[in-house]
Amino acid sequence: MKSLFVAAVLFISLSSSASELVRLYEWSPGNTLAPLILPVKISETPEQAAQRYLQNLDRNPELMELFEGRLPDVRMSGFKPLDEVTRESRALLLANLPKDYTRNSQRVENFQKIFAKAKHSSYILPINANLGLSQSETRDLFTQISEKFPFLVAMGGDDVEPSLYKKQNTHSRNTIPARDIFEIELIKSYVTREKGFLLGVCRGSQISSVALGYKLIQDVPFHVGTDVSHGNDWHEIELKPTKNNILASLLAEGQTRMTVNSLHHQSVIFKEGGPLQLAAHGHDGVTEATEFKNGRGLLLQFHPELMNNDLGSKILWRVLKQKNVVMPGRCGKIFSF
């Protein structure tokens, strides 16, 4: 009987492997803060996959403009298959700037430190990690990320290309459409599968919201005013009750305000009827936080990983706890209103 059980498990494992078009490898070149996640085609070695990625990056003028014409300095070494037994303790950070490939990314370092205290390992998904993959291989990459990473972090960074939320560019800066399209498609896939928790920070909140069908204010000082300084300052935000009260649970009874940092000039235009609930706003009405109705996401306009105080750490500990909460049912309308 035992041998039949083992054979059945082996058959399921082999069948699953056979259906995968890419395999996920950890790539630790020695000069990054966390291992990169590298999709490797069935027909190639990890070294060939890394070369494929860098060669296709070098051939993409739009992305090379982001890298100022210089490929990231990553060595062809430190490859190993992503193991199958530590899923629940993984956090995947979406790279969107060249510094994420170095040891000089303060945000990656801070995320990693806090996650490590919670016994979570941090990984970095390279910018446009699907370079050189077919559409079907890209879909498989997205599926495996949903299956193997219960916590996805869309970090801060540059503005989102306005055409992706059907607006002309009037105030957006440093937009890279190819990068944004990749992130949007990945986030859509991750959210639709409802197998993990999504944390979006600043740009991460904005691009996640665009993926869900929301639009953005392209320049808060121009469109809203300067009563609240959003550029590089700290200010109070007013919390709102939500279905899951992810943020509100951090405050003492009767309290509704917290003070957060602010490093942005754009923000999400919240609209009722979608998959998000308004969780916090500024005194000027600017959206500061939203939560997924199904409990599987928190989108923040501010940066808890850069607050360097007890509140910032509490927020990240809270979302790590929330990711383990199984929320039944779907979040209703996704990507439309």
Side-chain angles (χ1 to χ4, degrees):
M1 192 72 180
K2 182 178 179 181
S3 61
L4 286 175
F5 174 76
V6 172
V9 171
L10 180 61
F11 174 77
I12 292 171
S13 176
L14 290 173
S15 299
S16 175
S17 298
S19 64
E20 292 178 353
L21 300 178
V22 298
R23 298 159 294 170
L24 299 189
Y25 272 70
E26 296 182 33
W27 180 9
S28 302
N31 54 347
T32 59
L33 286 167
L36 305 175
I37 290 299
L38 178 69
V40 179
K41 297 182 183 183
I42 300 301
S43 61
E44 63 186 1
T45 66
E47 290 80 6
Q48 290 170 333
Q51 290 171 351
R52 167 189 37 85
Y53 171 74
L54 292 173
Q55 287 170 357
N56 280 275
L57 181 60
D58 194 34
R59 294 171 186 152
N60 190 308
E62 189 179 336
L63 293 175
M64 286 308 293
E65 180 180 346
L66 173 66
F67 283 88
E68 297 181 341
R70 297 185 298 273
L71 286 171
D73 179 22
V74 284
R75 292 188 282 272
M76 295 294 163
S77 61
F79 301 103
K80 70 175 183 178
L82 184 67
D83 72 68
E84 298 296 329
V85 296
T86 60
R87 178 189 186 274
E88 294 308 314
S89 61
R90 294 181 189 140
L92 183 61
L93 310 174
L94 301 187
N96 60 58
L97 292 173
K99 67 181 179 182
D100 297 327
Y101 295 77
T102 73
R103 290 189 174 275
N104 299 319
S105 177
Q106 190 65 55
R107 59 187 186 172
V108 172
E109 182 177 3
N110 288 5
F111 274 126
Q112 186 182 40
K113 284 180 179 178
I114 294 175
F115 295 161
K117 290 179 181 178
K119 296 182 170 27
H120 277 63
S121 299
S122 299
Y123 299 85
I124 299 170
L125 188 70
I127 296 169
N128 288 68
N130 68 331
L131 288 171
L133 298 184
S134 67
Q135 288 186 353
S136 56
E137 289 165 342
T138 297
R139 285 194 297 270
D140 188 44
L141 168 63
F142 291 168
T143 297
Q144 291 197 51
I145 288 173
S146 298
E147 295 285 346
K148 298 179 180 181
F149 289 93
F151 192 42
L152 185 67
V153 182
M155 296 190 290
D158 295 329
D159 295 349
V160 179
E161 167 58 39
S163 64
L164 298 175
Y165 51 93
K166 300 179 181 179
K167 291 292 183 180
Q168 290 186 339
N169 189 345
T170 56
H171 294 87
S172 296
R173 309 188 288 262
N174 303 322
T175 60
I176 306 290
R179 172 189 56 187
D180 297 347
I181 290 169
F182 171 78
E183 289 187 37
I184 286 171
E185 292 306 313
L186 170 58
I187 290 167
K188 282 183 178 181
S189 174
Y190 194 83
V191 169
T192 300
R193 293 182 179 279
E194 294 188 298
K195 292 189 175 183
F197 189 95
L198 172 65
L199 172 65
V201 174
C202 203
R203 165 192 160 83
S205 169
Q206 294 161 10
I207 199 161
S208 297
S209 298
V210 170
L212 294 169
Y214 296 81
K215 300 183 187 302
L216 305 180
I217 294 173
Q218 290 191 42
D219 190 67
V220 172
F222 181 84
H223 293 285
V224 178
T226 56
D227 289 346
V228 176
S229 177
H230 292 274
N232 186 11
D233 207 349
W234 292 71
H235 63 266
E236 277 193 343
I237 61 174
E238 182 79 19
L239 272 60
K240 310 291 289 184
T242 64
K243 181 179 178 180
N244 298 286
N245 283 326
I246 299 174
L247 271 187
S249 65
L250 298 173
L251 297 179
E253 186 176 354
Q255 291 186 337
T256 61
R257 296 178 181 180
M258 61 173 57
T259 300
V260 299
N261 55 359
S262 192
L263 300 166
H264 67 101
H265 80 109
Q266 299 195 325
S267 66
V268 175
I269 301 174
F270 177 75
K271 186 178 180 181
E272 295 286 354
L276 301 178
Q277 286 184 291
L278 182 64
H281 61 75
H283 297 318
D284 54 1
V286 167
T287 300
E288 292 285 351
T290 56
E291 297 178 10
F292 281 51
K293 292 177 181 176
N294 67 355
R296 293 190 181 274
L298 173 66
L299 306 181
L300 305 173
Q301 189 56 70
F302 51 95
H303 291 258
E305 82 284 7
L306 299 178
M307 290 171 71
N308 295 318
N309 61 16
D310 187 52
L311 177 59
S313 297
K314 280 184 176 180
I315 291 171
L316 295 180
W317 275 87
R318 179 66 181 86
V319 295
L320 286 174
K321 178 182 177 182
Q322 182 68 21
K323 83 172 181 60
N324 295 320
V325 177
V326 178
M327 304 299 297
R330 303 186 66 84
C331 58
K333 296 180 180 179
I334 301 180
F335 317 129
S336 62
F337 296 87

